[in-house]
Amino acid sequence: MTEFWLISAPGEKTCQQTWDKLMTATTRTNNLSTNNKFNIPDLKVGTLDVLVGLSDELAKLDAFVESVVKKVAQYMADVLEDSRDKVQENLLANGVDLVTYVTRFQWDMAKYPIKQSLKNISEIISKQVSQIDNDLKARASAYNNLKGNLQNLERKNAGSLLTRSLADIVKKEDFNKLYRLAAHLRDSCRNGGATIYKDSGLFTVTLFRKAIDDFRLKARENKFTVRDFQYNEEEMKADKEEMTRLSTDKKKQFGPLVRWLKVNFSEAFIAWIHIKALRPNKKNMKKLREVLYDLYKHLDSSAAAIIDQSAMDIPGLNLSQQEYYPYVYYKIDCNLLDFK
């Protein structure tokens, strides 16, 4: 279970009666859903004008915070590389899994004081998540550059003899004054001065300078690839030292980066669910939607037009071309990863 529908229904004489009515319609009779109470404290709503003005801002903030939550989760998967099966266990909110956090939600009074107005709380969340987003970009850029440089060096020392570095294959003693090296597939190798390496053969060839161009031509005609190679001990040593340094730096950054991602995923996810609070089994979805509509259709008869997919405009509420129901509804999807 990764998808939740957050709805706000009108009260009967008591909140418990509203809850019982909802449970009877959706769970006890039809077993269409598992329901949990979502506790929201008394917030300083302000005037209707302020609330209407804030509606669009909260919708945009909701989408932005959700995008940051998903970016942090996806980058966690990217960083863990071969340990992707462990990603989900690292994506926690306040130390618990996401389903538990959502189903047992409690407003965080310390982070988001309810004495503040809705606008102030939304600005606190916006500033907090924007900082996480900016930090993620900076940290990801630094780590990706390091990782990319290391991979480039590793590629230089891997692959076939047609492209890879020969520094760790050819030794100083293999050279006299002038050599040319040729790489060829194993099945083309001839008897003689050849070194077999995986799927290629490596040959040392001694030539007069005036014969070099002719040799290249004849080699190409016979499907040999001629590579120039200059033995430079200092350069090879520098490459090895650079690879060691990059590998060490990557290991040093890995632990702190994963810890940062865990902490800030939690912060961003918590902020996202609080934004949902500020905004006043797939085969069963259609039936559940119908049951909820029948239960609350008396609240707004115009919702029937939306069920038929026709557009609707409510000034200031930005509901045109969106899902609209006779009760307040927001979706929370805890499936945050997109593994390709």
Side-chain angles (χ1 to χ4, degrees):
M1 180 176 61
T2 61
E3 182 173 306
F4 296 91
W5 294 359
L6 179 61
I7 73 167
S8 176
E12 304 294 332
K13 291 182 179 179
T14 67
C15 292
Q16 188 60 42
Q17 285 179 324
T18 303
W19 174 255
D20 290 340
K21 187 175 181 180
L22 177 65
M23 289 292 287
T24 299
T26 64
T27 301
R28 293 168 188 156
T29 303
N30 298 304
N31 196 28
L32 295 172
S33 62
T34 300
N35 302 332
N36 296 274
K37 292 182 179 179
F38 192 84
N39 298 305
I40 302 175
D42 291 330
L43 301 168
K44 294 180 68 174
V45 175
T47 65
L48 180 59
D49 287 345
V50 171
L51 190 60
V52 169
L54 193 58
S55 177
D56 281 353
E57 292 179 28
L58 287 175
K60 293 174 184 176
L61 183 58
D62 188 346
F64 168 67
V65 176
E66 180 181 3
S67 72
V68 173
V69 169
K70 289 183 176 179
K71 278 194 286 186
V72 175
Q74 194 61 50
Y75 195 63
M76 172 80 81
D78 294 343
V79 169
L80 289 178
E81 297 177 11
D82 296 333
S83 303
R84 285 194 167 194
D85 55 325
K86 297 182 180 179
V87 174
Q88 206 65 52
E89 66 189 51
N90 284 299
L91 298 180
L92 306 175
N94 256 6
V96 299
D97 65 85
L98 307 186
V99 171
T100 299
Y101 181 80
V102 172
T103 55
R104 300 180 185 176
F105 175 78
Q106 294 292 324
W107 186 272
D108 193 324
M109 300 290 186
K111 283 190 176 75
Y112 314 113
I114 59 174
K115 291 182 179 180
Q116 300 269 9
S117 67
L118 287 186
K119 185 171 181 60
N120 285 349
I121 293 175
S122 68
E123 288 173 351
I124 290 171
I125 292 176
S126 178
K127 184 177 180 180
Q128 174 197 12
V129 178
S130 294
Q131 186 63 53
I132 292 174
D133 189 39
N134 291 333
D135 287 350
L136 175 63
K137 290 174 183 175
R139 289 170 184 268
S141 176
Y143 189 76
N144 289 346
N145 285 338
L146 178 61
K147 182 178 172 182
N149 291 337
L150 180 59
Q151 287 174 337
N152 287 337
L153 275 178
E154 289 172 342
R155 274 195 291 269
K156 276 181 63 177
N157 293 284
S160 74
L161 292 176
L162 297 174
T163 56
R164 65 163 292 157
S165 170
L166 303 177
D168 60 340
I169 301 174
V170 180
K171 308 301 179 186
K172 188 175 182 179
E173 54 268 25
D174 293 331
F175 280 83
N176 287 321
K177 290 184 179 178
L178 180 65
Y179 280 96
R180 288 293 185 268
L181 306 176
H184 190 262
L185 296 179
R186 178 185 300 202
D187 59 6
S188 296
C189 290
R190 302 288 189 269
N191 293 330
T195 301
I196 302 299
Y197 186 85
K198 292 187 178 178
D199 295 325
S200 301
L202 186 65
F203 298 81
T204 59
V205 183
T206 305
L207 300 168
F208 289 108
R209 291 186 185 277
K210 64 180 182 180
I212 292 176
D213 290 340
D214 187 51
F215 174 75
R216 288 182 183 276
L217 179 62
K218 295 296 184 183
R220 192 160 49 244
E221 287 176 356
N222 287 277
K223 298 182 179 179
F224 281 80
T225 298
V226 179
R227 294 182 58 187
D228 287 321
F229 180 82
Q230 184 175 3
Y231 187 86
N232 187 321
E233 198 164 1
E234 290 184 2
E235 185 178 316
M236 289 188 286
K237 182 181 177 183
D239 279 352
K240 288 181 179 178
E241 289 176 349
E242 178 68 2
M243 183 174 289
T244 301
R245 184 189 68 80
L246 290 172
S247 181
T248 301
D249 286 351
K250 184 186 175 188
K251 289 176 183 176
K252 284 181 179 177
Q253 289 191 24
F254 178 81
L257 179 58
V258 170
R259 285 192 292 274
W260 183 91
L261 288 167
K262 287 176 67 173
V263 168
N264 286 276
F265 172 82
S266 176
E267 292 295 309
F269 188 84
I270 289 169
W272 184 39
I273 303 305
H274 280 72
I275 282 290
K276 295 293 188 186
L278 289 181
R279 298 182 70 189
N281 300 328
K282 294 205 175 226
K283 66 180 179 180
N284 289 331
M285 282 185 178
K286 185 173 184 294
K287 179 63 178 175
L288 177 58
R289 188 69 77 192
E290 290 171 354
V291 168
L292 290 172
Y293 174 71
D294 288 340
L295 195 59
Y296 300 119
K297 63 185 177 182
H298 64 282
L299 299 172
D300 188 351
S301 58
S302 63
I306 307 301
I307 299 298
D308 293 331
Q309 302 298 313
S310 59
M312 176 179 183
D313 278 321
I314 300 178
L317 290 183
N318 193 30
L319 293 175
S320 179
Q321 305 299 323
Q322 297 185 19
E323 295 170 310
Y324 179 71
Y325 307 99
Y327 47 87
V328 177
Y329 157 79
Y330 299 108
K331 185 172 78 172
I332 300 173
D333 190 351
C334 293
N335 184 24
L336 304 167
L337 297 172
D338 179 22
F339 288 143
K340 296 180 176 61

